[in-house]
């Protein structure tokens, strides 16, 4: 494949990928504060960039055919509104409908397996995926995998360093992959409380003055390289499992 980006192809070429039973990847992102040192597009950028890198890795290592759609840049971000700027907050119901109809559009084109790859763990999309699967039944199946980031942090990170949001994990990833985006002189000292992630009225301003949950000061380029490689290989293996279980890749030709 010359590209794993859905938008790089013509509609006729997309039809060839559908006929080859290619896997579709739908990344979801959000626009919200990421502390004083990271840009507000981090979750959107990370979701799409990971999906593209993992699709390429899965294609090279496992012969998986996968196309990655552009990441949806907006989602529910009510917990960040208290910081006053840098957010676009969609109600959960609107976000679910956007994702649901994206899945319907892909199913109408003939895709038989779709992965929804979330840029934020707070995106509650199981209802949209379940409703879609009930509608499409055996014609197309959507998957909403759990994000592997916390497990990767526990496996290769420093367990003594608290994490949560705009922390050493995210900061290290940006330092490695797009260092020009990080405001190194604005990384704040750690000073956040313990977050109740199950609170339906979660407000980050109750836990942090800077927007950072955890500690971003332990970030490094080397950690970012390690995290990135783990994230890509883990995600690629997930794409492989979905593709082999549901859409066995076959040879295909671009018109």
């Amino acid at each position: 494949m010359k590209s794993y980006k859905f938008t790089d192809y013509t509609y006729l070429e997309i039809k060839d990928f559908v006929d080859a039973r290619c896997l579709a990847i739908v990344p979801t992102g959000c626009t919200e504060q990421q502390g004083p040192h990271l840009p507000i597009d981090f979750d959107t950028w990370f979701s799409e960039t990971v999906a593209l890198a993992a699709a390429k890795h899965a294609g090279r290592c496992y012969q998986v055919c996968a196309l990655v759609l552009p990441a949806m840049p907006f989602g529910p971000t009510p917990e960040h509104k208290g910081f006053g700027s840098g957010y676009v907050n969609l109600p959960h119901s609107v976000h679910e409908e956007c994702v649901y109809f994206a899945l319907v559009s892909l199913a109408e084109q003939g895709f038989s397996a779709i992965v929804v790859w979330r840029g934020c763990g707070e995106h509650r999309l199981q209802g949209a995926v379940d409703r879609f699967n009930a509608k499409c039944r055996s014609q197309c199946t959507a998957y909403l995998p759990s994000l592997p980031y916390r497990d990767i942090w526990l496996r290769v990170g420093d367990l003594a360093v608290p994490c949560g949001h705009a922390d050493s994990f995210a900061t290290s990833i940006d330092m490695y992959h797009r260092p020009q985006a990080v405001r190194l002189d604005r990384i704040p000292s750690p000073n956040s409380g313990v977050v109740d992630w199950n609170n339906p009225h979660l407000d980050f301003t109750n836990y942090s003055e800077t927007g950072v949950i955890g500690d971003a000061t332990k970030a490094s380029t080397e950690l970012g390289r390690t995290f990135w490689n783990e994230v890509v290989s883990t995600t690629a293996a997930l794409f492989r499992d979905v593709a082999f279980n549901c859409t066995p890749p076959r040879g295909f030709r671009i018109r």
Side-chain angles (χ1 to χ4, degrees):
M1 294 174 65
K2 64 180 181 181
S3 172
Y4 292 86
K5 295 180 68 172
F6 184 88
T7 51
D8 278 350
Y9 294 99
T10 69
Y11 81 99
L12 294 175
E13 291 168 339
I14 294 293
K15 179 62 168 60
D16 282 338
F17 282 111
V18 169
D19 292 343
R21 300 179 67 78
C22 199
L23 180 66
I25 314 295
V26 178
T28 68
C30 50
T31 301
E32 62 187 27
Q33 68 82 18
Q34 296 284 340
H37 62 295
L38 298 181
I40 60 175
D41 76 332
F42 178 81
D43 285 347
T44 303
W45 166 82
F46 189 44
S47 178
E48 182 173 334
T49 306
V50 165
L52 283 168
K56 182 177 181 180
H57 186 92
R60 182 177 64 251
C61 296
Y62 310 122
Q63 293 73 55
V64 170
C65 172
L67 285 179
V68 179
L69 276 74
M72 297 182 181
F74 306 133
T77 61
E79 66 272 23
H80 300 279
K81 291 174 63 176
F83 292 95
S85 59
Y87 66 89
V88 176
N89 178 41
L90 296 185
H92 282 282
S93 59
V94 173
H95 190 230
E96 281 202 20
E97 287 297 286
C98 289
V99 172
Y100 172 78
F101 282 106
L103 298 177
V104 169
S105 294
L106 292 168
E108 289 174 343
Q109 295 169 59
F111 285 97
S112 57
I114 308 168
V115 173
V116 178
W117 190 250
R118 294 170 297 161
C120 177
E122 296 301 297
H123 287 178
R124 300 193 296 268
L125 293 170
Q126 193 62 58
V129 169
D130 289 346
R131 180 158 59 105
F132 170 80
N133 285 335
K135 173 184 173 65
C136 290
R137 296 178 182 170
S138 61
Q139 296 178 355
C140 182
T141 304
Y143 298 84
L144 184 68
S146 298
L147 296 177
Y149 308 143
R150 176 172 172 75
D151 289 343
I152 289 171
W153 174 263
L154 294 176
R155 187 164 69 246
V156 302
D158 184 347
L159 301 187
V161 178
C163 56
H165 178 77
D167 51 15
S168 283
F169 179 88
T171 305
S172 294
I173 290 286
D174 250 358
M175 289 173 70
Y176 169 63
H177 214 283
R178 49 174 198 174
Q180 74 285 351
V182 184
R183 283 69 163 170
L184 293 173
D185 59 333
R186 296 185 182 178
I187 297 176
S189 299
N191 185 24
S192 60
V194 178
V195 177
D196 178 6
W197 296 101
N198 295 317
N199 183 354
H201 306 293
L202 182 62
D203 181 348
F204 272 26
T205 61
N206 291 331
Y207 305 97
S208 172
E209 294 181 356
T210 65
V212 175
I213 303 296
D215 183 357
T217 65
K218 301 300 191 294
S220 70
T221 301
E222 186 56 40
L223 269 178
R225 179 183 295 107
T226 300
F227 292 150
W228 177 257
N229 290 336
E230 287 287 326
V231 166
V232 170
S233 61
T234 300
T235 307
L238 185 151
F239 291 172
R240 172 203 62 198
D241 292 345
V242 172
F244 286 175
N245 288 337
C246 302
T247 56
R250 299 196 297 245
F252 63 95
R253 174 179 61 84
I254 296 296
R255 283 189 176 90

